[in-house]
Amino acid sequence: MTAVTPLFRAAGRLVSPGGTKGKLTILTYHRVPPDIDPLLSSDQVDAQKFARHMAVISECFNVLPLPQALEHLERGTLPARALSITFDDGYQDNYTIALPILQRHGFKATFFVCSGYINDGLMFNDIIVEALRACESTELDLNWLGLGQQPAHDMASKRGCAQKILSTVKYLPFKEREQACLRVWETATSGKARPRLMMNDEQIRQLAAQGMTIGGHTHTHPILNRIDLNSAREDIARNRQLLGALVGQEPLIFAYPNGRPVHDYGHEHVALLKELGYRFAVSTAWGVATKSCDRFQLPRFSPWDDNPKRLVLRLLKNAMTGQHPLTAPDLS
Ligand SMILES: [Zn+2]
């Protein structure tokens, strides 16, 4: 315990009280690489940073498994300074790196898994980043994407090139995006074997066996607003059924891919989740979950600070600001 811990706890009780005024901070993590990866964004959380986050969180917050925390939130029985931890997508480093750190503190987290990439699949953004990592040429001909000749001679230029490709392909129709990513892979690597980044079946089963929660995150990670409702239903239902078969229980909590309310999903998708048997869903809108939030659009928060004190202050500030207006219940 550091000298400021009692102060942080007292402030936490004020801004994140328990009971009927309970507030639940839900954290979102993605990859937890062993070291800072020069090709990933600057707000990444590597193993050391994640360990520092968990250490300070264990001192200043009451960490609950998300399903239990949500039941408490609804019943008005949350403890003060309540916090839950989630991971999106299903990266292998969640199992190899984050899990032992979580277990050191006795934390139970929730893992939202995209079933279409389990074992040897790669999400589109990772295909681009890994293509640039494996690229041995000093520049890439991307005229076919409208990006001309792009330098790729060092980590900085590779990262810049990957970001340009990502922003060009991110909102393409799903099939076109897949084709573009494959072409980038072929162009940059001359068809090398792809690395494995996602968890395998056994790792997901092990997470569930260790008391972690497996949540739904679609089969192929589409932006739901960009596909028709029938395709969305199929993708969400397939994911739920496959995860259910894998761990013996269909997930009850869902995370929207990309997750921005209105931009990435709409009220028709909220209705779809209810129809398919989900009980709760989380977005990526920043905020803190309260009893008055729509239980199918619970806001989360993505911490990236390296300094533990700054991290706690940012979490307390987030708890003070309340819920994102777009995730308030739809009363229309
Ligand atoms: Zn995702």
Side-chain angles (χ1 to χ4, degrees):
M1 188 188 285
T2 66
V4 291
T5 306
L7 196 65
F8 280 152
R9 286 190 187 166
R13 276 192 296 278
L14 278 177
V15 301
S16 182
T20 50
K21 291 189 174 157
K23 289 182 178 178
L24 175 64
T25 296
I26 309 172
L27 300 185
T28 314
Y29 290 98
H30 287 87
R31 285 177 76 165
V32 185
D35 299 297
I36 291 292
D37 184 332
L39 289 181
L40 297 182
S41 67
S42 54
D43 58 3
Q44 65 186 284
V45 177
D46 71 338
Q48 289 74 21
K49 200 194 273 191
F50 184 72
R52 284 194 287 273
H53 281 193
M54 294 304 110
V56 72
I57 280 167
S58 75
E59 287 189 356
C60 300
F61 291 88
N62 284 312
V63 177
L64 289 95
L66 185 60
Q68 254 171 269
L70 294 175
E71 298 296 338
H72 279 302
L73 182 67
E74 297 225 315
R75 287 204 299 267
T77 54
L78 262 186
R81 301 177 282 113
L83 181 145
S84 294
I85 300 159
T86 70
F87 295 82
D88 284 9
D89 303 329
Y91 285 101
Q92 182 171 223
D93 55 28
N94 294 176
Y95 181 86
T96 55
I97 291 173
L99 179 65
I101 298 170
L102 291 167
Q103 287 177 322
R104 207 182 298 157
H105 296 284
F107 294 164
K108 303 277 191 260
T110 294
F111 297 80
F112 295 107
V113 176
C114 246
S115 42
Y117 305 103
I118 295 173
N119 298 318
D120 49 8
L122 274 186
M123 305 213 343
F124 85 94
N125 46 312
D126 294 320
I127 297 180
I128 304 300
V129 168
E130 296 309 318
L132 267 299
R133 197 191 307 281
C135 178
E136 285 172 3
S137 330
T138 52
E139 61 175 16
L140 269 185
D141 180 359
L142 295 170
N143 278 298
W144 59 276
L145 261 183
L147 294 174
Q149 290 286 128
Q150 287 292 324
H153 54 83
D154 60 8
M155 281 298 174
S157 58
K158 284 182 179 206
R159 190 177 155 198
C161 178
Q163 279 170 348
K164 278 184 193 157
I165 300 172
L166 285 172
S167 48
T168 307
V169 304
K170 184 164 190 174
Y171 288 103
L172 285 178
F174 187 80
K175 288 223 166 80
E176 259 178 66
R177 189 177 76 186
E178 291 290 287
Q179 280 162 3
C181 289
L182 288 181
R183 188 159 171 191
V184 169
W185 182 266
E186 291 303 318
T187 312
T189 75
S190 312
K192 281 186 194 159
R194 292 192 204 167
R196 189 160 84 76
L197 293 184
M198 312 312 280
M199 283 189 277
N200 62 28
D201 290 344
E202 186 50 29
Q203 289 168 328
I204 294 166
R205 265 192 227 109
Q206 277 300 321
L207 282 183
Q210 308 285 331
M212 305 289 153
T213 302
I214 304 301
H217 196 42
T218 72
H219 188 64
T220 58
H221 209 274
I223 307 288
L224 295 171
N225 268 349
R226 302 273 168 154
I227 60 173
D228 66 70
L229 202 54
N230 273 336
S231 307
R233 181 183 284 106
E234 269 172 37
D235 204 281
I236 294 168
R238 189 171 178 201
N239 174 243
R240 188 159 191 259
Q241 190 225 325
L242 287 170
L243 293 179
L246 197 55
V247 300
Q249 191 192 354
E250 293 202 333
L252 296 173
I253 313 175
F254 179 85
Y256 300 95
N258 231 40
R260 295 173 308 161
V262 181
H263 294 280
D264 299 328
Y265 70 90
H267 284 293
E268 65 275 32
H269 303 110
V270 171
L272 203 52
L273 294 183
K274 292 179 186 171
E275 174 198 318
L276 292 170
Y278 274 106
R279 295 202 53 223
F280 298 97
V282 293
S283 72
T284 57
W286 279 12
V288 69
T290 63
K291 208 174 173 183
S292 64
C293 283
D294 182 343
R295 58 146 74 174
F296 280 88
Q297 300 193 75
L298 297 162
R300 293 189 285 175
F301 190 74
S302 295
W304 66 90
D305 287 284
D306 206 11
N307 178 311
K309 286 178 197 154
R310 209 172 299 144
L311 170 74
V312 175
L313 289 173
R314 203 184 293 279
L315 292 177
L316 295 180
K317 190 173 167 212
N318 176 63
M320 250 165 63
T321 49
Q323 65 176 309
H324 191 283
L326 289 173
T327 59
D330 180 26
L331 301 173
S332 59

Short mmCIF file of all heavy atoms in Angstrom, two decimals, residues 30 88-89 123 217 221 257-258, ligand 1:
data_model
loop_
_atom_site.label_atom_id
_atom_site.label_comp_id
_atom_site.label_asym_id
_atom_site.label_seq_id
_atom_site.Cartn_x
_atom_site.Cartn_y
_atom_site.Cartn_z
N HIS A 30 -7.45 -4.86 -24.75
CA HIS A 30 -7.41 -5.69 -25.97
C HIS A 30 -6.19 -6.61 -25.87
O HIS A 30 -6.17 -7.50 -25.08
CB HIS A 30 -7.38 -4.81 -27.22
CG HIS A 30 -8.69 -4.14 -27.50
ND1 HIS A 30 -9.04 -2.94 -26.95
CD2 HIS A 30 -9.73 -4.52 -28.26
CE1 HIS A 30 -10.27 -2.60 -27.35
NE2 HIS A 30 -10.71 -3.56 -28.16
N ASP A 88 -11.42 -7.52 -25.06
CA ASP A 88 -12.15 -7.73 -26.31
C ASP A 88 -11.32 -8.54 -27.31
O ASP A 88 -10.09 -8.40 -27.36
CB ASP A 88 -12.51 -6.39 -26.96
CG ASP A 88 -13.68 -5.71 -26.25
OD1 ASP A 88 -14.10 -6.19 -25.19
OD2 ASP A 88 -14.16 -4.70 -26.79
N ASP A 89 -11.98 -9.34 -28.10
CA ASP A 89 -11.46 -10.00 -29.32
C ASP A 89 -10.95 -11.43 -29.12
O ASP A 89 -11.14 -12.26 -29.98
CB ASP A 89 -10.39 -9.17 -30.05
CG ASP A 89 -10.90 -7.79 -30.43
OD1 ASP A 89 -12.13 -7.68 -30.69
OD2 ASP A 89 -10.11 -6.83 -30.46
N MET A 123 -7.56 -11.04 -37.17
CA MET A 123 -8.49 -9.96 -37.47
C MET A 123 -7.85 -9.04 -38.51
O MET A 123 -6.62 -8.99 -38.63
CB MET A 123 -8.82 -9.19 -36.20
CG MET A 123 -9.33 -10.15 -35.15
SD MET A 123 -10.56 -9.56 -34.01
CE MET A 123 -10.52 -7.85 -34.08
N HIS A 217 -18.94 -11.64 -28.97
CA HIS A 217 -18.36 -10.45 -29.64
C HIS A 217 -18.52 -10.58 -31.16
O HIS A 217 -17.73 -10.02 -31.89
CB HIS A 217 -16.89 -10.33 -29.23
CG HIS A 217 -16.26 -9.01 -29.51
ND1 HIS A 217 -16.89 -7.80 -29.28
CD2 HIS A 217 -15.03 -8.68 -30.00
CE1 HIS A 217 -16.07 -6.81 -29.61
NE2 HIS A 217 -14.94 -7.31 -30.06
N HIS A 221 -16.58 -10.10 -36.38
CA HIS A 221 -16.27 -8.72 -35.99
C HIS A 221 -16.72 -7.68 -37.01
O HIS A 221 -15.97 -6.74 -37.32
CB HIS A 221 -14.77 -8.59 -35.71
CG HIS A 221 -14.44 -7.52 -34.70
ND1 HIS A 221 -14.27 -6.20 -35.04
CD2 HIS A 221 -14.27 -7.56 -33.36
CE1 HIS A 221 -13.99 -5.49 -33.95
NE2 HIS A 221 -13.98 -6.30 -32.91
N PRO A 257 -18.84 -5.01 -31.59
CA PRO A 257 -17.57 -4.76 -32.28
C PRO A 257 -17.42 -3.25 -32.55
O PRO A 257 -18.37 -2.60 -32.99
CB PRO A 257 -17.71 -5.50 -33.61
CG PRO A 257 -18.76 -6.53 -33.36
CD PRO A 257 -19.70 -5.93 -32.35
N ASN A 258 -16.25 -2.75 -32.25
CA ASN A 258 -15.95 -1.31 -32.38
C ASN A 258 -16.74 -0.49 -31.35
O ASN A 258 -16.20 0.42 -30.76
CB ASN A 258 -16.18 -0.78 -33.79
CG ASN A 258 -14.99 -0.01 -34.31
OD1 ASN A 258 -13.85 -0.40 -34.08
ND2 ASN A 258 -15.25 1.10 -34.97
ZN ZN B 1 -13.39 -6.10 -30.92
#
